[in-house]
């Protein structure tokens, strides 16, 4: 099992920055991919960014050039971050940390409880 806890959300003005953190615990050595998703009111949850154990990253087009995903280099630490710059009101959402484990041909997803990000003047 893997447990995920997000932190760092809050209220920020348009153009501002926030840094989200995700602390992973438990069987973190089994994690293959980690990522951030977000869900705005009335919308489906969407992918924001992912990072593999080899540090390959992937971003949604809407956040490219503004957001940066990273993780601790030591796999035993299990922390992941999302640096968000040039924030827009459209970035307002609950942000969720995700970890994926590939197990015997199946995919196991773990989720955090979410952290609210509000971009407003």
């Amino acid at each position: 099992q893997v447990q995920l806890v997000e932190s760092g959300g809050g209220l920020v003005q348009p153009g501002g920055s926030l840094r989200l953190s995700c602390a992973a615990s438990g069987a973190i050595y089994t994690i293959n991919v980690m990522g951030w998703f977000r869900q705005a009111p009335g919308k489906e949850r969407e992918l924001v960014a992912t990072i593999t154990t080899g540090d390959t990253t992937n971003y949604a087009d809407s956040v490219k050039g503004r957001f940066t995903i990273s993780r601790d280099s030591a796999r035993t630490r299990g922390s992941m971050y999302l640096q968000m710059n040039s924030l827009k009101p459209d970035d307002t959402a609950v942000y969720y940390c995700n970890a994926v484990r590939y197990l015997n041909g199946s995919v196991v997803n773990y989720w955090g409880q979410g952290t609210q990000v509000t971009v407003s003047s």
Side-chain angles (χ1 to χ4, degrees):
Q1 288 289 331
V2 173
Q3 296 79 41
L4 304 172
V5 178
E6 304 97 334
S7 62
L11 172 65
V12 63
Q13 292 186 343
S17 298
L18 278 177
R19 187 182 192 228
L20 304 183
S21 298
C22 173
S25 60
I28 59 176
Y29 56 90
T30 66
I31 297 172
N32 297 102
V33 182
M34 294 189 75
W36 290 95
F37 287 71
R38 66 187 182 185
Q39 187 167 19
K43 295 187 177 181
E44 294 186 354
R45 190 172 296 190
E46 64 176 4
L47 171 71
V48 176
T50 61
I51 185 166
T52 69
T53 52
D55 290 334
T56 297
T57 58
N58 179 56
Y59 296 91
D61 287 343
S62 59
V63 306
K64 281 181 181 177
R66 300 188 299 121
F67 291 11
T68 302
I69 189 171
S70 62
R71 62 186 297 181
D72 281 346
S73 58
R75 293 189 65 190
T76 55
R77 294 183 181 178
S79 292
M80 179 181 64
Y81 310 95
L82 186 68
Q83 178 67 42
M84 304 186 294
N85 299 326
S86 302
L87 282 161
K88 306 174 182 180
D90 285 348
D91 295 318
T92 296
V94 178
Y95 283 70
Y96 296 92
C97 176
N98 169 258
V100 175
R101 177 185 179 186
Y102 303 132
L103 178 63
N104 298 328
S106 64
V107 178
V108 179
N109 277 282
Y110 301 97
W111 295 94
Q113 82 287 352
T115 185
Q116 177 71 47
V117 172
T118 302
V119 185
S120 175
S121 55

